[in-house]
Amino acid sequence: MRIALEVNGRPIDTEVSPNLLLVELLRDHLRLTGTHNGCDTSQCGACTVHLNGSSVKSCAMLAVEADGGCVLTIEGLAQGDQLHPMQQAFHEHHGLQCGFCTPGMVMSAVDLAQRQVNPSEAEIREWLEGNICRCTGYQNIVKAAAAGIAAMGAK
Ligand code: FES
Ligand code: FES
């Protein structure tokens, strides 16, 4: 099937099989390997990207479902050498250990920032429930997300 979509601002027009997952399109076809495939069963959140501005688990969607849409991956967040405020916050607050969950955590936290200006710690924890960190670094992840949300609000 032929699909046309935008990925990180770049138009993509490509032929895909009907059962290709969005995460496979991103990683295997477009070589955007910042989006991780951690479980393939919609549980870990490592594959989180934005579709039309909202976070989605790209292992739980077919590529054809993104036809006509705009996808943003972790590679599309920074502006050149300038980290996105959420990436900067994860860096400053040590919100990562091995980094495997980090792209998904960052993309989820950016989505929360777009929805809520000043979420409580409990609300951040609840929002990030679908993102699992196998290093269990949740304390700093939550601190980083809060700082990133505040920085995005201040812009
Ligand atoms: S790889 Fe998509 S939720 Fe784990
Ligand atoms: S930092 Fe290792 S999985 Fe989260």
Side-chain angles (χ1 to χ4, degrees), residues 84-90 93 105-106 108-121 123-125 127-128 141-155:
H84 183 280
M86 190 60 75
Q87 293 174 307
Q88 187 64 34
F90 270 71
H93 294 268
M105 289 285 184
V106 168
S108 289
V110 169
D111 188 11
L112 175 58
Q114 290 168 171
R115 292 165 191 261
Q116 226 173 316
V117 180
N118 192 17
S120 65
E121 183 183 325
E123 286 168 327
I124 294 172
R125 285 180 185 275
W127 181 262
L128 293 178
I141 288 170
V142 171
K143 270 191 217 157
I149 290 166
M152 284 176 67
K155 286 217 142 204

Side-chain angles (χ1 to χ4, degrees), residues 95-102 105 132-137 141:
L96 61 143
Q97 292 175 53
C98 78
F100 191 83
C101 70
T102 313
M105 289 285 184
I132 294 171
C133 175
R134 63 189 179 182
C135 301
T136 69
I141 288 170

